[in-house]
Amino acid sequence: MSTETIFTSYQPIQRYLALVKSAYGMEPTPAVPIKALDVFLMRQIVEYYPTAPTIIDLAGAATMGVSPVLWASLGELIQHVFAADATWEKATESDWRALVMDAVSAMELNARTLTLVDGQPDQLDGWATLTPQMNRLAPLIFVVALESGTPAEMAASLQRLLALHSNSAILLMPLGPTGESATVEATLMVCGVASAYRFTPMREVSPFFNTSELGIIYPRSQSELPALLERLHSLYDGNFRFLTLLDANIKSLVQSSQKRKLAPLHGIGQNAAVGSGQPKALMAIPIARQTQGRFAAIARKLLNRPVTPHHASYLQFSLPQDLHPSETVEGTVTLRNDDIYPWVTTKVTDRGINVSYHWRTLTGTLVVKEGLRSVLPNIIQPRETVTMPLTIMTPSQPGQYLLDLDMVHETIIWFSDAGTPGPLFQVDIKE
Amino acid sequence: MSSLRTAPDGVTIAIPNWNHEYLLPRSVGSALRAVRDLRAHGVSADVLVVDDCSRDGSLTLLRQWEALYFEDGLRVLALPHNTGLPAAVRNEALRHATYRYILFLDADNEIVPENTYHFYRAITQTGAAFVYGNLIGIDQDFESVMLLSNESYQSRILGRNYIDALALADRMQLLDAGGYLDSHKIIAREDWELYMHLAANGRKIIFVPLIMGLYYDVANSITKETADGALHQQQYAFLTRVYNQIGIRHNLPLNTRYLRYHPDVGYL
């Protein structure tokens, strides 16, 4: 199992940048900075290649030496790295080439895997000079950092590189947002639907890579890279989703709390039991719900997830007596908007607020998640109360249940998940 | 940048983890909030979770979080083989921590984020090897609460440890002193051993009267598993042999005896 992490992959880069800063007294500012996540992804791509590839690194100048240092730090994961200068500027004492060689020495990297090359492989006889030094059996990866030029110029550069070797891939950066990035436009010119090449931005491989600025271009005929990308996706595809984990934790806590504290009940407006003849308020179970609410709030805060908060007070509720299975009945509920913004009814928008409910067993197990929706009669302003009908369908089996009142911000979140669980009522469904 | 040679000023919150997937949100969440608070005070900080080859899904969860929160300071070190020793995992944290000061937080506990800065101030002002504070202990049912790590370093630590591992250390002093003793002889007691080792070598271990964190009494913890009478006796015998074989240690000079310090007041 791979134990490489973003932290460990980025350590050589971090060290290199610290050395440069220490030597020159200022923070290095490359034209194309490589994100720690992208360093990790490049390393993993290379590690997952069936055969150690040869790297032709054209990103040295734009990344101020970071890219060649990364490849030089990978040791036996690569055949060799040829760091070519994509400009025609003469080397100086303090340019990226000098920095890289000094860093290789200071960081005790394997200098034998790194060759600095003058000129560009796709210009003049650059390729002919390079090929005799390469392992002909190793797959080839170009590393390109496009910092300037029109999309057409960039596309032409990419096509020239791909034409040099039939089994090559290109690691390309930085990819900006679609519609605002010349690099992305250039890549789409090269990798159209009918093209022999395919383009995958790493941010599409997993939602956890959404900040990546790295992309990969490879021949459609090559089957190894899609499998490699799928492996990367699986590495980050866990067994649960965060909110489901919270829900499971909360339910577990509620169940253990309910087992001890279910007995004493307190009304929320009237004190009458179900079945006494008239529609009356039912008993609530505030203690268990308080536990659930408290831990939900803590869990949310701990994970620092951007959850829309919602606050409501349930002031009164009544339901007809004598309930039977699969029956639709109408009760009455009084609510107060404790949010700082209005509750917009779904009469106005599909993403408005509705009142609803869940059905649970007496131990808290969910029986019916999606209760019928009752529509707010109008927009409810902050601190305003509303009394409205509440339509409920009873469970299909007779027995004793907990009616779990809730509100829902449609398509976004249940109020119980957003900080305000509703009251629980014990209900007897008779045959 | 982790290195045994350099120690940039700042705090790394180190969380050793072994199969505590469902408790990580609490510990890591509190650590990230502490990092945010430290950075707001101009102190560089990060969180380093050292995973001892967990099998329960911890590593996948940590990878996901690292990708999301790397810029917020979350770092993950996945050990290739299970060491089985908390001491070995903490030593890996010492070797890989980015900054000079390292706060050890067990994966089943949490720190009080707003107070971490004050412990940082205390350790930088005193030059101590360790500073520690009060812990609020909470039992498994969340019903009873107790106060832990409530006293300064005293000779009675030779008989029983009362200072939890949750403490802020000067990483370079610990490395110079050899780090944690990673031996099965003292498993789950390595923090106790290290405190006595540092004190015996003239280093300062200082109590700061602030709440440092929350200690949760979790079922099946390594502390509970090793609370067996016979094993505990063996460990006590071993440590007594090392630090107090002829019973005179409490009469000897000790640089760190009774040291209590508050960063806004000074020594108390």
Side-chain angles (χ1 to χ4, degrees), chain A residues 1-8 11 14-15 18 36 40 208 235-238 240 242 260 302-304, chain B residues 1-2 21 25-26 29 33 36 48 59-61 63-67 69-70 75-78 96 143:
Chain A
M1 171 173 152
S2 174
T3 56
E4 199 64 24
T5 64
I6 298 174
F7 169 60
T8 50
Q11 275 183 322
Q14 207 161 12
R15 192 166 170 213
F40 167 76
F208 297 98
L235 197 63
Y236 278 79
D237 196 23
F240 59 87
F242 295 122
R260 295 194 311 274
L302 286 174
L303 277 188
N304 200 24
Chain B
M1 175 188 71
S2 63
E21 179 199 44
R26 185 170 64 193
R33 282 179 289 134
R36 195 187 318 149
L48 176 63
L59 191 52
T60 302
L61 176 63
R63 284 189 192 286
Q64 293 172 335
W65 284 351
E66 193 188 36
Y69 298 117
F70 192 85
R75 311 280 182 262
V76 176
L77 175 65
H96 286 86
E143 285 182 341

Side-chain angles (χ1 to χ4, degrees), chain A residues 243 300 306-310 341 352-354 369 373 406-419:
Chain A
L243 293 180
R300 284 288 180 282
V307 173
T308 308
H310 278 295
Y341 34 79
I353 308 286
N354 280 326
K369 166 77 176 181
R373 303 306 205 247
D406 204 352
M407 295 180 70
V408 59
H409 190 168
E410 294 293 356
T411 75
I412 294 176
I413 198 162
W414 288 90
F415 275 37
S416 54
D417 289 331

Side-chain angles (χ1 to χ4, degrees), chain A residues 273-278 282 319-329 359 394-401 426-431:
Chain A
V274 179
S276 60
Q278 295 295 322
L282 301 177
L319 199 66
Q321 62 162 344
D322 205 25
L323 300 173
H324 301 284
S326 300
E327 192 174 48
T328 302
V329 298
W359 284 107
T394 56
S396 57
Q397 298 296 321
Q400 291 190 316
Y401 294 91
Q426 189 167 329
V427 175
D428 193 4
I429 308 294
K430 295 173 185 157
E431 297 219 44

Side-chain angles (χ1 to χ4, degrees), chain A residues 99-232:
Chain A
L99 288 177
V100 166
M101 293 318 294
D102 286 345
V104 166
S105 175
M107 292 166 60
E108 298 174 5
L109 301 178
N110 187 353
R112 285 178 297 172
T113 57
L114 171 67
T115 300
L116 295 180
V117 178
D118 284 329
Q120 303 169 60
D122 60 333
Q123 300 282 340
L124 298 179
D125 59 354
W127 186 244
T129 309
L130 204 52
T131 44
Q133 306 176 64
M134 288 165 38
N135 184 323
R136 281 182 284 262
L137 300 179
L140 186 64
I141 299 179
F142 293 100
V143 181
V144 176
L146 295 173
E147 38 173 330
S148 60
T150 65
E153 289 166 349
M154 292 181 180
S157 298
L158 295 173
Q159 277 164 335
R160 282 197 302 272
L161 288 174
L162 290 169
L164 292 173
H165 194 285
S166 59
N167 189 22
S168 64
I170 297 180
L171 287 173
L172 177 64
M173 58 190 142
L175 300 181
T178 306
E180 296 174 27
S181 168
T183 309
V184 172
E185 266 191 61
T187 313
L188 294 175
M189 287 180 179
V190 175
C191 304
V193 173
S195 162
Y197 295 97
R198 188 172 184 151
F199 168 56
T200 300
M202 295 309 292
R203 59 195 180 211
E204 290 184 4
V205 173
S206 167
F208 297 98
F209 302 162
N210 70 86
T211 60
S212 167
E213 295 179 345
L214 181 71
I216 183 165
I217 300 173
Y218 56 95
R220 282 185 194 275
S221 57
Q222 209 222 64
S223 59
E224 290 153 342
L225 267 161
L228 181 160
L229 296 175
E230 177 57 35
R231 256 183 102 177
L232 266 176

Side-chain angles (χ1 to χ4, degrees), chain B residues 33 42 44 74 85 111 119 128 158 188 201 203 225 229 254:
Chain B
R33 282 179 289 134
S44 301
L74 182 60
L85 287 171
I111 55 175
F119 286 98
L158 296 167
N201 282 275
R203 309 281 183 167
E225 282 181 357
L254 192 63

